[in-house]
Amino acid sequence: MNLNVDVVCSSFASAEALSEFMRKHIGYASKQQRVLSTSHGCWWKTPQQTFEDGYGFCYDLAAFALHGLELSNIACARLLFVSWGEWGCKSNAGHFVCVYQQNDGYFCIDNGRLKGPFSFEQLLLVTSRNHKLKSYRWFEKHDIAYHTRYSDMTGFSDMTGFSDSTLLSGI
């Protein structure tokens, strides 16, 4: 039976339930799956495609988490993108997570794992895996450019830059 992602995503009672579902059913792309993904340029999949494939890259998993949080009315969320290297050109140069704020803390779903609460500065450090950040950018649901190839995502890191002296602001 081929389930629709909207039916599944609207059934989550909590962010913890969504995270648990993702950890069990939607993983980060394995080596073999990464090779398979290169046939279409490792493009940004829709939540339905990620659900059907059962795997994705950080941007796919973050978009799936955002979709689940919104359809289940759990939290108002956005995607956070951080870069520290040559994003779009080299692997392991940036990262996407799904973020929502609750009380005074930020929570993220990072490749299916629920993490937090964090201050905004801690959120950036966790998301960047403690790399020195080059830039960060927020994505609203309507900003997601599904089917954008990884090699065409290089501009994401140029969209919002900051220096060490810039004060960072959250959601």
Side-chain angles (χ1 to χ4, degrees):
M1 184 164 127
N2 191 7
L3 286 176
N4 182 292
V5 70
D6 293 350
V7 172
V8 172
C9 284
S10 63
S11 70
F12 299 119
S14 66
E16 291 84 357
L18 170 60
S19 174
E20 183 178 333
F21 175 86
M22 290 181 71
R23 287 192 326 269
K24 287 182 180 176
H25 301 286
I26 303 175
Y28 191 85
S30 68
K31 186 176 182 176
Q32 183 181 11
Q33 291 163 334
R34 287 191 296 270
V35 170
L36 184 66
S37 295
T38 60
S39 67
H40 56 69
C42 300
W43 66 8
W44 198 337
K45 297 187 290 185
T46 66
Q48 180 69 40
Q49 291 167 321
T50 302
F51 177 68
E52 289 171 359
D53 292 349
Y55 72 91
F57 294 97
C58 65
Y59 39 88
D60 303 316
L61 300 174
F64 182 89
L66 175 66
H67 193 71
L69 289 173
E70 289 193 348
L71 280 181
S72 294
N73 293 315
I74 296 168
C76 183
R78 310 196 257 185
L79 301 187
L80 173 62
F81 165 70
V82 298
S83 70
W84 55 84
E86 294 180 52
W87 172 258
C89 299
K90 292 185 180 176
S91 184
N92 195 24
H95 190 50
F96 275 89
V97 296
C98 178
V99 176
Y100 66 95
Q101 191 171 5
Q102 189 173 58
N103 301 322
D104 291 334
Y106 294 92
F107 291 82
C108 69
I109 299 180
D110 182 350
N111 290 336
R113 302 214 180 280
L114 181 61
K115 299 178 179 180
F118 301 114
S119 69
F120 185 67
E121 290 76 15
Q122 290 169 327
L123 175 66
L124 290 176
L125 283 172
V126 166
T127 304
S128 70
R129 314 293 205 259
N130 293 314
H131 288 95
K132 183 176 170 79
L133 286 183
K134 178 178 165 185
S135 66
Y136 73 93
R137 178 181 175 192
W138 292 105
F139 284 79
E140 303 288 339
K141 185 174 183 175
H142 65 270
D143 294 329
I144 300 173
Y146 292 116
H147 297 156
T148 299
R149 297 165 61 107
Y150 180 76
S151 60
D152 294 332
M153 293 183 190
T154 55
F156 291 176
S157 61
D158 297 331
M159 300 298 281
T160 303
F162 62 89
S163 67
D164 291 338
S165 62
T166 303
L167 291 176
L168 305 176
S169 61
I171 293 180

